[in-house]
Every structure is written in C-alpha cells, then in structure tokens.
Amino acid sequence: MSDHQNATSSMPQTPPSVPTGYWCPRCGGKLKREASRGPGMLFGLIGALIASAFSPLKCQKCGPIPTNQLHADVRRKYRTNSILMVTAAVVVVITAVVVLSIFKRDH
C-alpha cells in the first residue's frame, strides 16, 4: 500500500465527539481557530469577532488544516459559526450607534 493510501485509510470517516465541535481530519484531535490578537487589541470586541471569523483552523499535533480537508459536517459548522461571528460584530456596531444616538439626542 502506498503512503497516500495509508494516510487516507487512517483518516476518521465520521467526526469523533470533541467538545469544540471541530476535529482534525488527520489525527482526530481538537482544532482551534488560530486568530491573531492584534485586531482584537486594536478594535476591541468587533475586531476580535471578525478576526476570529476569518481565522484558519489549527490542530495541536498536525498544524494548520485547510477547510477543504474538513469533514462536510465540520466545514458546515465552521462556516455557520463564522457567519454568526460576523453577524454578532454587525449587531454590536449597530447597537453602539443606536445607543450613542440616543445619548446624543438627550443631551
């Protein structure tokens, strides 16, 4: 058997039970979003949410994992959570604008 066939046959076919919901297609370990801290420090909550939404996934053992290597269920959850983070950032901005406009009107 070739190395490619060995690697393919050893990949988990269904996601194992991982609390984060993201699992490595290579080793079955936990994946984490690899977000930069810079935008969060510079732009606060909004920067952190947007940076995290567009950050790649990284396995502690295997390193960065491209989304096209993820199981379909994990890829769908990753995209859904990314959309939710961007939506949350937009809601925070809109809420801040509304609150500031209410305070400005009262004074």
Side-chain angles (χ1 to χ4, degrees), residues 40 44-54 82 84-90 92:
L45 176 63
I46 297 161
L49 283 169
I50 292 175
S52 185
F54 293 108
S82 294
L84 289 173
M85 283 187 247
V86 171
T87 303
V90 170
V92 168

Side-chain angles (χ1 to χ4, degrees), residues 11-34:
M11 285 178 43
Q13 297 302 313
T14 57
S17 177
V18 176
T20 62
Y22 301 129
W23 58 278
C24 179
R26 298 175 190 160
C27 70
K30 286 179 18 175
L31 292 176
K32 295 173 95 177
R33 288 182 185 258
E34 189 74 355

